[in-house]
Amino acid sequence: MRVADPAPAAAEFAAAQGVPLSKSLDDVLRDPQVQGVVLCTPHTQHTEQIIRAADAAKHVFCEKPLAPTTDECLRILDAEMARGRRLVQVGFNRRYDLAYRQMKSTLLDGTLGTPLMAHCAHRNPSVPPHYVGGMPITDTAIHEIDIVRWLLDQEITAARVLKPRRTSRAKPELQDPLIVLMEMADGALVDVEVFVTLAYGYDIRCEVVCELGTVALGNGSPVVLRKDNLRSDRVPNDFQERFAQSYENEVQEWVDGVASGEASGPSAWDGYAATAVADACLAALDSGERVGVEMRQRPAFYGQAAALAAVGGAR
Ligand code: ISE
């Protein structure tokens, strides 16, 4: 294992853990013993770094979002396809959360019938100073964009964004909260409340409503407290607390995939699709209109989602 980091403090921290330091990503990529790289860099740097790693035939784990624009995502897809095998996994960690996995297996076993709607909420107690502009979509709602594509096994075809009354706690330039409405390829509808300054804790909700019943995240902490006539359980502090296990799972599964040569998990296609939907949401936020999602036809290289196969391709 080796680490390259242009920030001296981060590099020193890694060195203190006993990890050998490299001067640059290219140094890491030149090492024949390195099979895969984890990119924790700003998303504006992902495209060039992923393409360099793919050219060196290394596996890549890359934090979301895959890249800032769909054109850049397409360059990544092309570079990966040119190598002839999957090399890229995108850090959509929620697919590795036990509760979401149970939702997925319940939907797959068919006992609830066809999914018709999903209601989601994504509430952060606060956001860091660099959180600006379209980040409620590109950095926050992007998790729901990915998870509903995965849960419902199909693409998102259009979006609207509604603007509720702004909280007095919102940063001046941020629409907070907002509601994203998404149309799935088969006509199911998804709503997502995105609220990034709701101070009580980190609260993630998701319920899929089907013809015969619903399945939802439990949102429960392991224990329930009863005291003074009140019953309470813990709301996590932040995403690190809520999703600690899923981060571990995703990295472990990536490492296992690198060792076996079989990449799995969220692909570069998933990263591209999420960016395409985020673009539609940003345009919808701007215009107040319904905006269709523009996407390239899914290449056979990335397999085909079941529902897309049923409707004969993305509309
Ligand atoms: C952050 O980057 C994440 O990935 C969190 O899961 C999300 O809740 C937060 O809004 C993002 O800023």
Side-chain angles (χ1 to χ4, degrees):
M1 180 162 48
R2 36 184 62 255
V3 165
D5 201 314
E12 278 159 27
F13 175 80
Q17 317 303 310
V19 180
L21 287 182
S22 293
K23 284 205 192 70
S24 64
L25 175 64
D26 288 323
D27 275 359
V28 176
L29 295 175
R30 266 192 291 273
D31 183 340
Q33 286 197 309
V34 169
Q35 292 172 278
V37 291
V38 176
L39 294 178
C40 305
T41 48
H43 71 309
T44 47
Q45 297 178 17
H46 286 173
T47 307
E48 299 310 324
Q49 292 173 338
I50 293 174
I51 290 174
R52 265 146 64 203
D55 287 347
K58 309 289 188 195
H59 288 264
V60 179
F61 176 90
C62 166
E63 260 313 332
K64 58 84 194 166
L66 178 62
T69 66
T70 49
D71 281 349
E72 289 193 33
C73 292
L74 289 172
R75 286 181 57 212
I76 294 170
L77 298 191
D78 290 340
E80 185 177 46
M81 287 191 282
R83 297 302 307 188
R85 66 192 177 108
R86 270 202 52 196
L87 292 169
V88 181
Q89 177 174 327
V90 183
F92 286 126
N93 65 296
R94 292 194 184 180
R95 296 187 186 201
Y96 297 86
D97 176 66
L98 190 62
Y100 275 117
R101 285 193 163 184
Q102 286 188 15
M103 285 185 72
K104 170 98 175 157
S105 55
T106 304
L107 292 169
L108 277 177
D109 76 21
T111 46
L112 295 180
T114 306
L116 308 173
M117 294 178 278
H119 307 296
C120 312
H122 190 151
R123 297 181 185 150
N124 287 214
S126 61
V127 280
H130 69 265
Y131 190 100
V132 289
M135 287 178 81
I137 306 282
T138 58
D139 202 54
T140 299
I142 198 146
H143 282 292
E144 275 75 19
I145 291 172
D146 180 67
I147 209 71
V148 298
R149 291 181 59 253
W150 179 73
L151 283 173
L152 303 179
D153 208 6
Q154 57 188 290
E155 296 298 356
I156 295 163
T157 54
R160 286 187 182 84
V161 177
L162 305 181
K163 302 178 188 177
R165 179 176 175 172
R166 285 176 77 241
T167 165
S168 59
R169 302 179 72 244
K171 287 186 173 188
E173 81 288 5
L174 226 53
Q175 171 57 45
D176 186 37
L178 52 80
I179 295 175
V180 179
L181 291 173
M182 298 186 284
E183 298 173 24
M184 307 304 297
D186 72 355
L189 291 183
V190 175
D191 56 86
V192 186
E193 173 201 314
V194 181
F195 197 166
V196 297
T197 53
L198 187 52
Y200 70 83
Y202 185 75
D203 199 1
I204 300 300
R205 299 175 184 205
C206 179
E207 179 182 34
V208 179
V209 181
C210 306
E211 287 177 317
L212 302 172
T214 83
V215 60
L217 295 178
N219 283 324
S221 57
V223 293
V224 176
L225 189 68
R226 291 175 176 82
K227 190 169 181 292
D228 301 333
N229 305 97
L230 291 175
R231 191 177 54 216
S232 60
D233 58 10
R234 183 171 167 78
V235 178
N237 209 35
D238 49 28
F239 61 88
Q240 290 92 337
E241 179 182 341
R242 168 64 181 83
F243 288 112
Q245 189 61 52
S246 74
Y247 287 117
E248 266 188 60
N249 295 346
E250 72 172 346
V251 173
Q252 186 58 55
E253 290 193 25
W254 177 73
V255 169
D256 294 345
V258 172
S260 67
E262 300 280 328
S264 63
S267 65
W269 174 264
D270 296 313
Y272 161 67
T275 298
V277 176
D279 278 358
C281 293
L282 289 173
L285 176 63
D286 208 35
S287 66
E289 305 287 324
R290 171 185 180 277
V291 178
V293 177
E294 286 179 23
M295 273 172 69
R296 188 197 263 191
Q297 194 75 23
R298 185 176 176 127
F301 180 88
Y302 291 104
Q304 206 178 21
L308 277 186
V311 298
R315 284 186 267 157

